[in-house]
C-alpha cells in the first residue's frame, strides 16, 4: 500500500480534526485522509505540500492554496515533525502505520502541550484546545484497539 504523504503540522491536525476546515473541498479531503489512516494505511512525514494540501491546491480553493507554500508553514512542519518523532521514538520519514498506543501517547502529549510548539499562532489552536479538553471524543481519527478511555 502506498503511504500517505503528510506534513508535520497536518499530522498534529489530524488528532483534533472533527470535520471543520478551510474550505468544503479541504474538509472532505481531510476526512478521506483520516479515514485511510484510521484503517491502517501507512503514513510518511514529508516537507512541503502533502496529500492533505491537495484539498487546497485546486483552482477552486483560490488563495488558500498559497498557504501550503509559505515558509512559515514549512517551519511549523519541521517543529511538529521533530516533536512527534521524539515522542514516538522513530524516524517518521519512513512509512509507518499509526497504532492505538501511538495515538494514546500523541493525545496525551498534545493535551500536555509537549508536541504543540508548532501550533503557536495557528488560527485553530484554541479550537484544538477544546477538542483535547473533551478527551478527543469528537475527533475523527480512530484506530483499531484505541486505548483512550474517554472514547
Amino acid at each position: 500500500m502506498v503511504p500517505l504523504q503528510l506534513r508535520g503540522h497536518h499530522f498534529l491536525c489530524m488528532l483534533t480534526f472533527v470535520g471543520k476546515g478551510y474550505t468544503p473541498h479541504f474538509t472532505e479531503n481531510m476526512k478521506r485522509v483520516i479515514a485511510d489512516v484510521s484503517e491502517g494505511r501507512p503514513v510518511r512525514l514529508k516537507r512541503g505540500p502533502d496529500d492533505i494540501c491537495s484539498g487546497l491546491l485546486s483552482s477552486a480553493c483560490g488563495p488558500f492554496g498559497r498557504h501550503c507554500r509559505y515558509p512559515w508553514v514549512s517551519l511549523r512542519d519541521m517543529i511538529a515533525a521533530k516533536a512527534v518523532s521524539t515522542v514516538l521514538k522513530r524516524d517518521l520519514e519512513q512509512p509507518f502505520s499509526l497504532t492505538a498506543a501511538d495515538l494514546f501517547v500523541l493525545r496525551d502529549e498534545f493535551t500536555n502541550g509537549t508536541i504543540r510548539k508548532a501550533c503557536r499562532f495557528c488560527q485553530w489552536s484554541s479550537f484544538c484546545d477544546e477538542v483535547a479538553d473533551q478527551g478527543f471524543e469528537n475527533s475523527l481519527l480512530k484506530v483499531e484497539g484505541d486505548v483512550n478511555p474517554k472514547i
Side-chain angles (χ1 to χ4, degrees):
M1 187 180 315
V2 176
L4 289 161
Q5 307 293 311
L6 296 177
R7 304 183 83 130
H9 86 270
H10 282 161
F11 189 79
L12 290 181
C13 295
M14 288 192 321
L15 296 173
T16 58
F17 184 75
V18 297
K20 298 180 181 191
Y22 297 104
T23 67
H25 187 73
F26 173 86
T27 301
E28 288 308 309
N29 189 50
M30 182 74 143
K31 286 179 184 178
R32 180 192 59 77
V33 168
I34 288 176
D36 285 353
V37 172
S38 294
E39 292 171 9
R41 184 168 174 188
V43 299
R44 182 181 81 76
L45 295 194
K46 68 169 298 226
R47 296 177 189 203
D50 63 2
D51 289 329
I52 291 175
C53 290
S54 68
L56 285 176
L57 294 175
S58 76
S59 60
C61 294
F64 289 106
R66 288 192 299 269
H67 163 92
C68 298
R69 301 189 195 286
Y70 289 148
W72 58 267
V73 176
S74 294
L75 177 60
R76 186 178 283 174
D77 291 332
M78 288 187 293
I79 293 167
K82 182 177 181 187
V84 171
S85 179
T86 299
V87 166
L88 293 182
K89 298 175 175 66
R90 68 170 72 116
D91 176 6
L92 302 179
E93 291 183 8
Q94 299 300 316
F96 69 97
S97 293
L98 192 63
T99 68
D102 292 338
L103 191 53
F104 179 79
V105 168
L106 289 168
R107 287 174 177 154
D108 189 51
E109 298 294 336
F110 189 92
T111 301
N112 294 333
T114 309
I115 58 174
R116 296 211 48 203
K117 290 181 179 90
C119 303
R120 197 170 189 195
F121 306 116
C122 174
Q123 71 188 68
W124 296 92
S125 189
S126 60
F127 179 81
C128 294
D129 290 343
E130 291 174 27
V131 173
D133 289 346
Q134 295 168 1
F136 302 91
E137 62 188 341
N138 295 318
S139 171
L140 298 183
L141 182 62
K142 313 280 189 220
V143 296
E144 187 175 331
D146 199 337
V147 294
N148 187 344
K150 294 184 179 181
I151 293 182

